[in-house]
């Protein structure tokens, strides 16, 4: 299945204690269906000092959240939306787009394939 949420997307948290927060996706964990969103779901982590490398202390890091808890913030209509995937034949080229299920605009190109005529 094509990836519906990608690194660099802006998503809105729909569930949990951080509902309503918006942030940029900084990592996608495909196998777990989880993503890491900048400044969302921060947890404190105790880090030991490594001499000459880093200081010890308590750091805040983003913990992954499940992909079903977020919606993409559509760059076209600026609303949280579900993402669809559609394939369109344009000339000789088969293009796969991610699109917004709210405003029906294409968000970006996922893949394209040029049909070779025989
Ligand atoms: Zn939209």
């Amino acid at each position: 299945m094509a990836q519906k949420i990608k690194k660099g997307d802006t998503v809105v948290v729909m569930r949990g204690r951080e509902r309503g927060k918006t942030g940029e996706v900084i990592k996608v964990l495909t196998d777990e269906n989880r993503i890491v969103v900048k400044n969302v779901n921060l947890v404190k982590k105790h880090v030991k000092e490594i001499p000459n490398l880093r200081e010890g202390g308590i750091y805040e890091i983003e913990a992954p959240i499940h992909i079903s808890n977020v919606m993409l913030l559509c760059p076209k209509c600026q609303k949280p939306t579900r993402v669809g995937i559609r394939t369109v034949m344009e000339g000789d080229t088969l293009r796969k787009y991610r699109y917004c299920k709210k405003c029906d605009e294409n968000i970006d190109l996922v893949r394209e394939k040029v049909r070779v005529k025989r």
Side-chain angles (χ1 to χ4, degrees), residues 73-79 81 99-105 107:
L73 190 71
C74 171
K76 309 281 177 183
C77 66
Q78 307 296 328
K79 285 177 188 151
T81 183
Y99 75 97
C100 168
K101 286 193 173 173
K102 225 158 233 173
C103 67
D104 204 41
E105 290 281 338
I107 297 163

Side-chain angles (χ1 to χ4, degrees), residues 47-56:
V47 176
K48 276 187 187 164
E49 188 193 340
I50 301 175
N52 302 322
L53 194 65
R54 70 175 184 209
E55 282 182 53

Side-chain angles (χ1 to χ4, degrees), residues 27-39:
K27 200 173 182 185
V28 178
L29 307 162
T30 313
D31 294 343
E32 299 171 41
N33 281 320
R34 286 172 187 272
I35 55 172
V36 178
V37 184
K38 201 171 185 177
N39 289 320

Side-chain angles (χ1 to χ4, degrees), residues 12-69:
V12 187
V13 182
M14 304 308 287
R15 265 180 255 174
R17 66 184 166 97
E18 305 210 82
R19 195 163 59 154
K21 257 197 177 181
T22 301
E24 187 193 331
V25 178
I26 50 178
K27 200 173 182 185
V28 178
L29 307 162
T30 313
D31 294 343
E32 299 171 41
N33 281 320
R34 286 172 187 272
I35 55 172
V36 178
V37 184
K38 201 171 185 177
N39 289 320
V40 169
N41 205 24
L42 291 170
V43 292
K44 288 192 169 69
K45 199 180 178 187
H46 295 260
V47 176
K48 276 187 187 164
E49 188 193 340
I50 301 175
N52 302 322
L53 194 65
R54 70 175 184 209
E55 282 182 53
I58 300 167
Y59 288 78
E60 283 202 314
I61 58 155
E62 289 95 350
I65 55 174
H66 199 264
I67 216 156
S68 64
N69 290 339

Side-chain angles (χ1 to χ4, degrees), residues 79-93:
K79 285 177 188 151
T81 183
R82 291 192 187 286
V83 180
I85 304 281
R86 66 179 161 209
T87 307
V88 189
M89 192 71 199
E90 292 172 334
D92 298 341
T93 311

